[in-house]
Each structure stands twice: as C-alpha cells, then as structure tokens.
C-alpha cells in the first residue's frame, strides 16, 4: 500500500527521533531532530506534529530516554519512565497522553516486579505496540476504502494523518470515482496545507473550501458523506476533534449527511462535557506568520477542539490502542 | 485574551456579514460582540471591526469554524446577520450564515437579519483561498471552491429588520 508521509510522521534513527514538521507542508517535507523529552514536548506544544504524530512522539520519546540512560538501575529506569510520562502528559490538555504513557510506565513497573531485563523488555513492548498500531491503522485504511462508494463526494475536516488519502488511493485502484472536499481548517490550515496536499499527491480529486462553506456544500447536495478523525473518545461515544467539528456534525444531522468518525476507543473519560478543551493563545488567530491580521484593538478567542456528542455520529471506524 | 470562564452564559452577540453603516451605528457599547473572520476575503470582520472601533467597542474575533463551540457551551444570546437580497422565501447572505442559522435554530438562539452591503460577485478568486494575509497556505495547483454568498431560508430566521 502506498503511504502518505503523514501516515507515520516520526521515526527513530541512532538515538534520535525525527518528527515530520507538519507546519512546513506543502512547501517542504522536513523532519525535526528530537533528542530528549524536553524537545519532544516542544514539538507537540508548537504543533509541529499533531493527532497521530503526537502518539508516535510519545512512544518514541520513551525509546530515546531508554537509549540515553543505558546502565541505570531498574528502579531508576521506572522513575525515568514516570518523569518522561509526567512531562508528556502536561504538554497539551485534550489529547489523551496519560492513556498512552501509563501503558509504558506499567510495563516498566511489571519488568521491575518480575525482575526481567528492563531495557530489552521495554524496547520489545514499545516496538511491538507500535507495530500492532501500524497494522491496525493499515487495516482501517482498507475499511475506509470499503466504506467509500463509487460516485461518493466526501467532506473532511482538518487532517486524519494519511489514512483518508491512502484510502483514496485504494479507491482509485478499484476504479471508484470519488471527490473530496477539504476545509481549510483555520487558524493552522491543516486542511489546506496537509489534507489537500496529500489527497492531491495520492491522485485524488480534492477541492479546498473555506470553513464557512460547509453548510452550502450540504444544502447544495455537493457532498453525500463526511469523514473526520478524533483526538479523544469517551465511554459514551462522544468524541473531541478539531475545532469546527461540532458545527459540521450539527449540519450533517440537519441535511441528512452521514458522519463517519475515525476513533481510538477509550473509557477513561465518561462523556464529552468532561473532556478538557485546550484554549490556545489568541495571537495564533489574530496574526499570521508574524503579521497582524486586523488593524485596531481586537480581542481573540481560540478553542482548539470541539466535542461532538455521540448522537450526531452515524458510524465509527475504530483502531484499538489498548488504552483504557 | 478572552477566557471561556469570563464569558457569561447566553451573553454573546455573534456577528457575521457586511452590514450597512446605518446598521453598524446601532451596535451598542456594553454588548459582547464576537465577530466571525469571514473567509476568504475577511471583508466582513474588517468592516465590522473598523465600524465598532469608531464607537470604542472592542469586539472578539473568532475563526469561522469556532461558532459551534460557543453554541455548544451555551454562550450565545443572539446571532446578527447581514443580508443583501431577500424575497418571501428567505435571504441572500455572506457565506457562513447558514451555519449560524442552523446552529441558532438547534440551540434556540434568535437569528436576526439586518440590511447588508451588496456584494459584487458571488465567487471569490482562487487566490483568496490559496493565500491568507498575503501568504500562501495551499499548493498553487489546489482546486478551489470559494462561494461568497449563500441562501438562508426563512425557517432559520427569527426576525428580519
């Protein structure tokens, strides 16, 4: 299967983690070298990577810290894993970092209790976990492609880390004629920079629209399906996803368009209202590449995510991460 | 910085479109105005912000995809939209009005329509969406659809002024 660079946007080579700088796409495909937890937290906070990229950075950061701290006593390794987890958990509020980091910390505690060789045990489990996720995500790409019918016109929002573009490529091989509409996704333009770029690169027909054109697309029957990702999943089926997802979901219900969400099930949060929503610095909204957008005195308000209640979701396609 | 906790429930007047000067003169100090950017040309927000500045009103700008969040949190008390043309079935508004109309009806928030300035075209040039504030945000070969107006049917409108 042909892969988009956004499908697996981080890799380890010789004790260094290389993270795809998504803010430079489509101008450049460049990787940032990350050598420790502090640098990993920084790439997450600055949104150099997001969504699935964050998951990869988290797991690979434990591997970097293991290779940086060879020779530590087992108890000290557990403490190092706990410190690493704590720093990563505090990087951004909405993505369920603790769900992922607690798994690795748990492995280190188990290795200590069972007196097995700590380093190889942790490396084996982390690599095994990553390989499992990779396999299940590839499976999900096939499921997305199977969901898409010949003649479909699909709206997507923000970016689903390569999976939709790869499903589009599969559809093309199966001679399905499919159109995509991508919202630009203000203020970071993930739709314009990432989704339109990767769908185009995979040979799909994609049209970029402003975030405020989504109702028009539905009213004019220009789309018949919506596929979005999710950053957080609740026990009752509510999700959190990029800001803009709630109004898309409300419109989908109003105009009878099925809404499919790609999820990573977890029950650590019961319902959507309990999800911590990140409020980002409004400067990121009021200026662009260092230049102010509006003259005069204005304030800004920038919530990073929306909650979508489960009753607005038609279908989910899940990848089990083991996080609970 | 406007913080969510500092916003009272049902306190925000959500403003979208290019209003006439006469309508903008009627905006009052003491209200909490949230202005949508109005991609792709940002003309709606720039016009409103300029007019409100003359009255020493400092509005809060949000991106066009953030209105739903405010409704979900029950922070909106009124939607104020500019329309350019009307007939017995509805009105022609700036793109984005239908999102606010549907959200308003869903959350039982009044959606009030005011006279707006007439747009000279219904589609924006490709460049307006491929760039933001003069800088490229998408690859130049990207296909673009950039409507500037859309129809808002009466079912989503509370009152026309």
């Amino acid at each position: 299967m042909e892969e988009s660079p956004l499908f697996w946007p981080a890799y380890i080579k010789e004790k260094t983690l290389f993270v795809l700088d998504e803010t430079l796409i489509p101008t450049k495909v460049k990787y940032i070298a990350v050598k420790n937890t502090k640098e990993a937290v920084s790439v997450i906070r600055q949104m150099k990577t997001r969504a699935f990229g964050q998951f990869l950075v988290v797991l690979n950061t434990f591997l970097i810290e293991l290779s940086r701290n060879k020779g530590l006593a087992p108890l000290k390794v557990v403490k190092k894993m706990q410190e690493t987890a704590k720093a990563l958990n505090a990087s951004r509020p909405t993505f369920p970092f603790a769900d992922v980091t607690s798994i690795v910390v748990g492995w280190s505690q188990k290795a200590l209790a069972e007196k097995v060789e700590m380093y190889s045990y942790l490396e084996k489990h982390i690599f095994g976990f990553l390989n499992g996720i990779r396999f299940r995500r590839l499976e999900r790409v096939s499921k997305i492609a199977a969901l898409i019918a010949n003649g479909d016109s699909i709206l997507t929002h923000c970016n689903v880390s390569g999976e939709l573009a790869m499903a589009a490529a599969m559809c093309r091989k199966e001679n399905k004629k499919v159109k995509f509409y991508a919202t630009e996704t203000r203020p970071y333009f993930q739709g314009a920079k990432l989704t339109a770029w990767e769908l185009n690169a995979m040979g799909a027909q994609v049209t970029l629209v402003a975030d405020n054109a989504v109702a028009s697309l539905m009213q004019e029957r220009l789309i018949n399906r919506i596929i979005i990702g999710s950053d957080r999943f609740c026990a009752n089926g509510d999700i959190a996803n990029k800001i803009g997802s709630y109004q898309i979901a409300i419109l989908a219900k109003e105009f009878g368009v099925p809404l499919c969400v790609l999820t990573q099930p977890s029950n650590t949060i019961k319902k959507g209202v309990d999800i911590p929503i990140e409020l980002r610095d409004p400067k990121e909204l009021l200026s662009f590449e260092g230049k102010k957008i509006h003259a005069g005195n204005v304030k800004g308000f920038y919530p990073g995510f929306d909650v979508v209640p489960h009753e607005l979701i038609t279908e989910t396609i899940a990848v089990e991460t083991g996080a609970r | 910085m406007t913080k969510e906790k500092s916003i009272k429930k049902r306190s925000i007047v959500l403003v979208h479109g290019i209003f006439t000067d006469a309508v903008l003169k009627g905006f009052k100090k003491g209200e909490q105005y949230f202005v949508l950017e109005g991609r792709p040309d940002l003309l709606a927000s720039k016009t409103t912000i300029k007019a409100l500045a003359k009255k020493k009103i400092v509005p809060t700008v949000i991106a066009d995809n953030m209105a739903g969040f405010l409704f979900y949190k029950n922070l909106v008390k009124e939607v104020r939209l500019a329309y350019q043309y009307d007939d017995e079935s509805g009105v022609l508004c700036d793109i984005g009005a239908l999102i606010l109309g549907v959200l308003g009806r869903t959350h039982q928030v009044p959606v009030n329509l005011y006279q707006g300035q007439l747009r000279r075209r219904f589609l924006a040039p490709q460049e307006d969406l491929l760039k933001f504030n003069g800088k490229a945000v998408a690859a130049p070969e990207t296909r673009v659809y950039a409507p500037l107006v859309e129809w808002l049917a009466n079912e989503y409108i509370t009152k026309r002024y």
Side-chain angles (χ1 to χ4, degrees):
Chain A
M1 191 184 295
E2 191 187 350
E3 284 188 19
S4 163
L6 293 163
F7 181 74
W8 207 261
Y11 65 91
I12 275 199
K13 194 177 174 189
E14 292 167 4
K15 295 186 184 178
T16 301
L17 171 62
F18 291 91
V19 182
L20 179 63
D21 186 345
E22 297 182 9
T23 64
L24 296 179
I25 291 174
T27 314
K28 285 179 196 166
V29 176
K30 193 180 165 189
Y31 288 79
I32 301 166
V34 170
K35 293 189 172 175
N36 53 47
T37 304
K38 194 179 168 192
E39 289 176 5
V41 168
S42 174
V43 294
I44 293 169
R45 282 210 180 123
Q46 292 176 48
M47 289 175 64
K48 299 289 185 189
T49 190
R50 24 112 260 142
F52 182 69
Q54 294 175 131
F55 180 86
L56 281 184
V57 169
V58 167
L59 286 170
N60 282 301
T61 300
F62 287 106
L63 290 173
I64 305 173
E65 289 298 344
L66 283 172
S67 53
R68 285 179 75 226
N69 293 281
K70 289 266 185 209
L72 284 184
L75 185 60
K76 286 193 173 173
V77 176
V78 175
K79 281 189 178 166
K80 176 52 76 182
M81 295 298 99
Q82 287 169 332
E83 283 168 22
T84 305
K86 193 178 171 192
L88 290 165
N89 293 349
S91 58
R92 288 184 73 191
T94 302
F95 187 85
F97 289 98
D99 285 7
V100 185
T101 58
S102 62
I103 296 171
V104 181
V105 172
W107 286 332
S108 69
Q109 288 164 334
K110 194 174 177 205
L112 180 71
E114 293 178 2
K115 295 181 180 165
V116 294
E117 205 285 306
M118 182 70 82
Y119 289 90
S120 56
Y121 182 89
L122 284 175
E123 281 178 359
K124 187 179 144 197
H125 277 75
I126 293 171
F127 279 123
F129 190 41
L130 284 168
N131 286 337
I133 294 291
R134 182 180 175 80
F135 176 75
R136 287 194 283 277
R137 288 189 72 219
L138 287 168
E139 264 187 342
R140 182 158 72 179
V141 170
S142 300
K143 287 180 187 169
I144 299 166
L147 176 78
I148 298 171
N150 186 31
D152 269 0
S153 182
I154 297 162
L155 172 69
T156 188
H157 180 56
C158 197
N159 180 264
V160 294
S161 302
E163 292 183 35
L164 189 62
M166 288 158 66
M170 282 184 79
C171 287
R172 207 160 68 97
K173 279 186 186 159
E174 293 163 10
N175 291 319
K176 290 182 193 170
K177 287 192 173 148
V178 185
K179 288 180 193 167
F180 293 89
Y181 286 89
T183 59
E184 62 177 352
T185 321
R186 277 284 287 146
Y188 269 81
F189 294 102
Q190 291 95 337
K193 291 181 172 184
L194 307 178
T195 306
W197 169 77
E198 67 169 351
L199 278 165
N200 211 21
M202 290 293 205
Q205 183 188 316
V206 55
T207 302
L208 183 66
V209 294
D211 292 300
N212 56 18
V214 291
S216 183
L217 292 179
M218 293 187 219
Q219 181 166 251
E220 302 297 327
R221 305 281 169 209
L222 292 174
I223 59 154
N224 70 324
R225 191 183 297 282
I226 302 166
I227 300 175
I228 60 172
S230 61
D231 290 81
R232 193 110 196 198
F233 189 86
C234 302
N236 74 343
D238 295 351
I239 61 128
N241 190 45
K242 182 58 61 189
I243 189 73
S245 300
Y246 177 69
Q247 59 195 44
I248 287 174
I250 288 283
L251 292 163
K253 189 181 178 196
E254 177 74 10
F255 293 104
V257 182
L259 170 64
C260 174
V261 183
L262 311 182
T263 62
Q264 300 74 234
S266 163
N267 58 14
T268 53
I269 287 189
K270 283 186 181 169
K271 49 189 192 299
V273 288
D274 302 324
I275 297 174
I277 297 295
E278 179 179 17
L279 286 183
R280 292 190 65 86
D281 189 339
K283 280 181 195 159
E284 295 173 14
L285 176 71
L286 298 174
S287 62
F288 186 67
E289 294 191 0
K291 200 173 145 193
K292 263 182 88 174
I293 296 161
H294 300 282
N297 196 7
V298 288
K299 291 183 279 189
F301 182 66
Y302 176 10
F305 298 89
D306 264 330
V307 169
V308 178
H310 63 277
E311 58 268 23
L312 299 176
I313 298 168
T314 315
E315 186 175 355
T316 60
I317 306 181
V319 161
E320 289 286 346
T321 60
R324 276 291 179 263
Chain B
M1 178 173 176
T2 304
K3 290 183 179 167
E4 188 194 324
K5 282 181 185 167
S6 70
I7 308 169
K8 287 183 186 160
K9 297 286 178 199
R10 295 243 168 192
S11 66
I12 290 171
V13 178
L14 205 49
V15 177
H16 184 54
I18 310 168
F19 297 87
T20 61
D21 292 343
V23 170
L24 286 165
K25 275 180 190 164
F27 281 50
K28 289 175 188 157
K29 236 180 161 181
E31 292 282 17
Q32 193 166 23
Y33 294 107
F34 272 52
V35 180
L36 282 94
E37 280 185 331
R39 281 284 280 157
D41 56 15
L42 307 179
L43 199 57
S45 56
K46 285 182 191 274
T47 310
T48 304
I49 289 165
K50 200 173 163 187
L52 295 183
K54 285 180 189 162
K55 302 188 74 157
K56 299 199 181 334
I57 298 171
V58 181
T60 300
V61 175
I62 58 166
D64 299 310
N65 55 20
M66 294 171 184
F69 179 90
L70 302 177
F71 281 94
Y72 178 78
K73 295 281 185 179
N74 195 24
L75 302 175
V76 183
K77 76 167 182 183
E78 182 194 347
V79 175
R80 219 171 269 191
L81 299 174
Y83 71 90
Q84 300 159 36
Y85 168 84
D86 66 332
D87 67 17
E88 65 284 354
S89 67
V91 296
L92 188 71
C93 293
D94 265 40
I95 191 79
L98 182 54
I99 296 172
L100 302 176
V102 173
L103 285 168
R105 195 177 73 165
T106 305
H107 288 267
Q108 296 168 325
V109 171
V111 178
N112 296 323
L113 274 290
Y114 293 83
Q115 191 68 52
Q117 294 178 35
L118 201 62
R119 277 197 181 266
R120 291 196 179 147
R121 53 186 174 202
F122 290 170
L123 277 176
Q126 288 218 120
E127 284 295 293
D128 282 6
L129 205 58
L130 294 175
K131 288 184 175 177
F132 186 79
N133 222 22
K135 305 262 183 172
V137 291
E141 67 275 14
T142 310
R143 182 195 296 250
V144 160
Y145 175 57
L148 289 172
V149 292
E150 66 188 345
W151 191 253
L152 185 67
N154 282 340
E155 63 191 284
Y156 303 114
I157 299 168
T158 309
K159 198 168 179 183
R160 254 186 257 186
Y161 291 93

